[in-house]
Amino acid sequence: MKLYVIEAGDFKLDGGAMFGVVPKPLWERTNPADNKNRIEMSTRCLLIEEGERLILIDTGMGNKQSDKFFGHYGLFGNHSLNHSLKKAGFHKDDITDVFFTHLHFDHCGGAVQRSKNGLLEPAFKNATFWVHKSHWDWAINSNTREKASFLPENILPIQESGQLNFIEGKGPLLEQTPFPFSILLVDGHTEKQMLPIINYKKKKVIYAADLIPTAGHIPIPYIMGYDTRPLLTLKEKKAFLDYALLEDALLVLEHDPHHQLISLKQTEKGVRADADFNFDSYFNS
């Protein structure tokens, strides 16, 4: 097995929304805001090469939306999904599986593209797309609060392509999966978000997705305003951090443009980030 970090692009989101009830003077210590109160965010995907399979975890925003849409998100930097795949030695047609942690637009938008004649089509023509069945049902019957994150143009073409497969199970831990990793299910952010837990080079590597989007979100009360069940997130984060610390796991942070991979430590204030690493340097040096 080999893992590759795939940087799919950087954007900005309102810092208040990203930290919920936490006061700005606290969250701005780790995530400084611009003059529009936005913090910097990445869309960091993870590519797993295992035998004949190439499994891409999440796909970023993509580029098919209008300039008006992207104008809300302050895109910056030079990262893109296609460029990062090429840098790793691959093309999107090489991808055999696309695994969605969940279907919010910044996690799945890159899975669908516009063809030359403007039609929507899967960006990974040879891949099977995987999502949890309960999350799929939640997304296509979205509540008013999450509707702006579940965009039909990101979701329905995947179903229409015939390439969609479902994962089922209540969890919280799914150990028998179609993948070379187990899956932790968490429900605080959205219904049945899936976090891959990968055994890699004698370490546990956990893709933290939106349970812990940036290093600044490690303190348990630091919960996004986007979470549909914040009190459940409190419980899930505590259990997750206790487990990760016990296992000496490393976290891949999907939304932190400045920290790819972090370790954890116990402090008087609870579990906190210990050290941060460049992914390639840590595993390939």
Side-chain angles (χ1 to χ4, degrees):
M1 178 191 291
K2 188 169 183 181
L3 303 184
Y4 307 84
V5 162
I6 302 296
E7 302 284 0
D10 299 307
F11 68 110
K12 296 182 179 182
L13 273 182
D14 182 81
M18 282 301 298
F19 285 94
V21 300
V22 178
K24 182 176 181 179
L26 296 181
W27 59 253
E28 200 170 29
R29 295 173 186 173
T30 55
N31 297 71
D34 67 9
N35 59 4
K36 294 183 178 180
N37 206 48
R38 302 177 303 182
I39 64 169
E40 294 183 349
M41 303 272 286
S42 65
T43 53
R44 179 173 297 114
C45 310
L46 192 64
L47 182 65
I48 302 173
E49 183 180 15
E50 171 74 357
E52 298 297 316
R53 297 178 76 182
L54 278 175
I55 304 165
L56 182 64
I57 300 173
D58 282 352
T59 64
M61 287 187 179
N63 57 14
K64 66 183 176 299
Q65 309 293 345
S66 67
D67 290 342
K68 181 180 179 180
F69 176 89
F70 286 122
H72 295 298
Y73 298 104
L75 304 187
F76 68 97
N78 298 314
H79 293 308
S80 73
L81 182 60
N82 288 343
H83 180 268
S84 295
L85 286 172
K86 182 178 180 181
K87 185 178 178 181
F90 303 106
H91 185 273
K92 60 187 177 184
D93 292 348
D94 299 326
I95 304 300
T96 61
D97 302 84
V98 175
F99 176 97
F100 297 117
T101 60
H102 60 299
L103 294 171
H104 289 168
F105 71 89
D106 52 324
H107 295 258
C108 73
V112 175
Q113 64 187 10
R114 291 194 183 276
S115 66
K116 292 181 180 179
N117 58 9
L119 298 178
L120 295 172
E121 62 182 13
F124 303 92
K125 65 181 183 181
N126 297 315
T128 299
F129 296 96
W130 298 88
V131 66
H132 196 282
K133 178 64 165 62
S134 295
H135 181 69
W136 176 268
D137 294 340
W138 179 274
I140 63 173
N141 299 288
S142 58
N143 59 75
T144 303
R145 197 162 184 261
E146 280 186 280
K147 191 172 184 180
S149 292
F150 292 127
L151 305 182
E153 60 268 33
N154 287 338
I155 298 173
L156 297 183
I158 295 171
Q159 182 182 44
E160 293 162 0
S161 73
Q163 296 169 237
L164 177 64
N165 269 26
F166 293 123
I167 298 165
E168 298 192 52
K170 295 182 179 179
L173 185 65
L174 304 180
E175 297 187 274
Q176 302 299 319
T177 77
F179 311 102
F181 53 81
S182 55
I183 299 169
L184 178 66
L185 300 177
V186 288
D187 297 302
H189 178 59
T190 188
E191 178 74 11
K192 294 293 179 289
Q193 180 182 192
M194 300 194 293
L195 310 185
I197 302 175
I198 308 161
N199 291 315
Y200 184 58
K201 296 189 176 183
K202 300 182 179 180
K203 293 292 289 187
K204 266 192 168 51
V205 176
I206 307 177
Y207 190 76
D210 274 354
L211 181 62
I212 301 178
T214 77
H217 287 86
I218 291 176
I220 292 173
Y222 286 45
I223 292 172
M224 290 186 285
Y226 300 110
D227 284 23
T228 59
R229 306 177 182 109
L231 294 180
L232 180 55
T233 300
L234 278 173
K235 296 179 181 179
E236 290 174 339
K237 278 182 71 175
K238 184 180 187 310
F240 174 83
L241 289 169
D242 288 346
Y243 168 80
L245 188 67
L246 180 66
E247 296 289 333
D248 193 28
L250 298 170
L251 307 187
V252 176
L253 300 178
E254 185 165 11
H255 284 315
D256 193 323
H258 308 293
H259 303 91
Q260 288 187 342
L261 186 72
I262 62 168
S263 60
L264 301 171
K265 63 182 178 181
Q266 184 69 53
T267 74
E268 293 180 356
K269 295 183 178 181
V271 179
R272 294 291 187 269
D274 185 13
D276 70 278
F277 311 96
N278 174 275
F279 192 95
D280 289 336
S281 297
Y282 183 90
F283 284 112
N284 299 316
S285 59

